[in-house]
Amino acid sequence: ASYDPETAWTYEAGAKTQWADGRLRLNLAVFYTNFDDLQVEQLDDAGLTLIIDNAASAKIKGVELETVFAPVPAVQLWLSGSYIDSEYEDFIDSSGADLSGNSLARTPEIMLNVGGSFSASVADSLTLRARLEYSWQDEMPWGVENTVYEGSYGLLDARLSLGSRDGRWEAALYGKNLGDELYRVDVIPFLGDVFARYAPPRSYGLQLTTNF
């Protein structure tokens, strides 16, 4: 099935600022996007195929905030987040269902990220680095129908490394999804059920890197 091109007008305003002799960076942006004939992917149950439909129109508006703070040269802390309000407007899909007013698929309303890193010299030729980061996202609909949702979840990652100051080599220990969150990275609704692919569980690893 054919579909039309989509167009979008985006408006954004914001500010990028630095404070405390450059040790504190604060960025803020507000935005609004208006789509015409937005292309959306849907599952055709009759043909068992994925098809592209054009939503008559859609809009996204929101705000993003980013702050980075370095209290001392060896430490960096950061916090960022976004709020997004999205909606399909005047959307009748290929099956005749009225999806007007639904939220855009795969678009969490709130997302947050917070973390910190540490870097210090060890002896004359080595550098020790540590990083801890936590990210969280609000629930979101997987499809345009807004019938299947992914609940909110947070991920905690950590990394500790030791390497040469000239960047020739590095050895690192890392852990991902340390909270062992169970969440899906892909979902396809099908005949009243869903096929889902899940993200890896808690994992650890050793990484060795060398540059020639």
Side-chain angles (χ1 to χ4, degrees):
S2 63
Y3 51 90
D4 297 325
E6 68 179 25
T7 59
W9 285 95
T10 297
Y11 309 89
E12 183 174 342
K16 296 180 181 294
T17 65
Q18 288 190 355
W19 308 81
D21 297 326
R23 293 185 294 113
L24 174 62
R25 184 170 73 243
L26 180 63
N27 301 331
L28 177 68
V30 293
F31 56 88
Y32 174 84
T33 301
N34 186 63
F35 291 96
D36 286 320
D37 295 323
L38 176 65
Q39 297 169 0
V40 295
E41 187 179 73
Q42 291 183 278
L43 179 68
D44 179 9
D45 287 349
L48 302 182
T49 56
L50 291 172
I51 62 173
I52 301 295
D53 266 343
N54 288 98
S57 60
K59 63 181 180 181
I60 297 176
K61 55 186 176 181
V63 58
E64 294 179 338
L65 173 68
E66 177 189 27
T67 179
V68 180
F69 179 49
V72 294
V75 176
Q76 188 175 77
L77 308 173
W78 62 86
L79 171 66
S80 62
S82 64
Y83 169 79
I84 297 177
D85 180 22
S86 65
E87 182 181 2
Y88 295 110
E89 298 182 313
D90 305 321
F91 182 16
I92 308 296
D93 72 2
S94 59
S95 68
D98 187 356
L99 304 179
S100 304
N102 284 8
S103 299
L104 266 65
R106 304 188 183 214
T107 307
E109 189 174 62
I110 300 174
M111 298 182 68
L112 297 172
N113 180 271
V114 61
S117 64
F118 172 80
S119 177
S121 297
V122 179
D124 293 330
S125 58
L126 300 177
T127 300
L128 178 69
R129 295 185 175 92
R131 179 185 178 95
L132 185 66
E133 186 171 24
Y134 179 78
S135 58
W136 181 90
Q137 74 169 43
D138 201 0
E139 69 171 9
M140 68 174 186
W142 279 108
V144 296
E145 303 86 356
N146 287 189
T147 55
V148 180
Y149 280 79
E150 188 68 27
S152 61
Y153 62 88
L155 301 176
L156 179 64
D157 298 334
R159 191 173 190 270
L160 179 66
S161 68
L162 181 66
S164 61
R165 295 186 64 181
D166 59 8
R168 293 291 300 276
W169 64 270
E170 183 184 66
L173 291 171
Y174 66 86
K176 296 183 178 181
N177 189 11
L178 295 178
D180 203 22
E181 288 280 350
L182 183 65
Y183 66 100
R184 297 171 292 187
V185 295
D186 196 24
V187 167
I188 300 178
F190 178 65
L191 298 177
D193 206 342
V194 295
F195 287 94
R197 183 165 58 93
Y198 284 84
R202 181 193 297 119
S203 60
Y204 305 95
L206 171 64
Q207 184 181 51
L208 303 175
T209 305
T210 183
N211 295 307
F212 300 95

